[in-house]
Amino acid sequence: MKTTKQIRRSVSLPEPTARKVANIARHHRLSDNRVMVELIEEGIEARKAKEKSFFELAERFRSSEDTAETKRLGEELGRFVFGE
């Protein structure tokens, strides 16, 4: 198994976030550091998935020839970019 180089980082967390991390760590019997690594990795994957969804939606919008569908997809893209 290939090991990856570890790079030490120091972060300051808001108190409510630090408490949540500690609670998750305690509940799953993990260290706070392990929980933060897992949350960061999940966040990176979620961001990649969101980006992929956006580009798929943009491609459907670009290739749509139906006016009603184009309007619906345009509104969906707007919500995607600017929120609800």
Side-chain angles (χ1 to χ4, degrees):
M1 180 193 294
K2 184 178 178 183
T3 60
T4 58
K5 180 180 176 183
Q6 302 292 313
I7 299 173
R8 186 168 177 76
R9 297 283 186 217
S10 175
V11 297
S12 297
L13 300 175
E15 186 178 344
T17 303
R19 270 193 252 120
K20 289 175 186 176
V21 168
N23 286 337
I24 293 169
R26 204 170 18 259
H27 183 262
H28 293 282
R29 295 184 180 164
L30 298 170
S31 70
D32 288 9
N33 284 343
R34 183 71 238 163
V35 170
M36 287 190 288
V37 168
E38 288 179 4
L39 290 172
I40 291 167
E41 289 172 347
E42 290 172 7
I44 290 169
E45 289 303 314
R47 181 171 283 198
K48 285 180 185 177
K50 185 176 180 181
E51 186 176 294
K52 183 180 177 191
S53 295
F54 173 78
F55 285 115
E56 287 172 354
L57 180 61
E59 179 58 30
R60 284 184 18 226
F61 174 77
R62 191 182 67 74
S63 64
S64 176
E65 295 181 12
D66 179 24
T67 309
E69 182 183 27
T70 301
K71 182 178 179 182
R72 182 185 61 76
L73 291 172
E75 290 171 357
E76 196 173 333
L77 271 173
R79 282 192 302 276
F80 204 104
V81 172
F82 300 110
E84 310 247 2

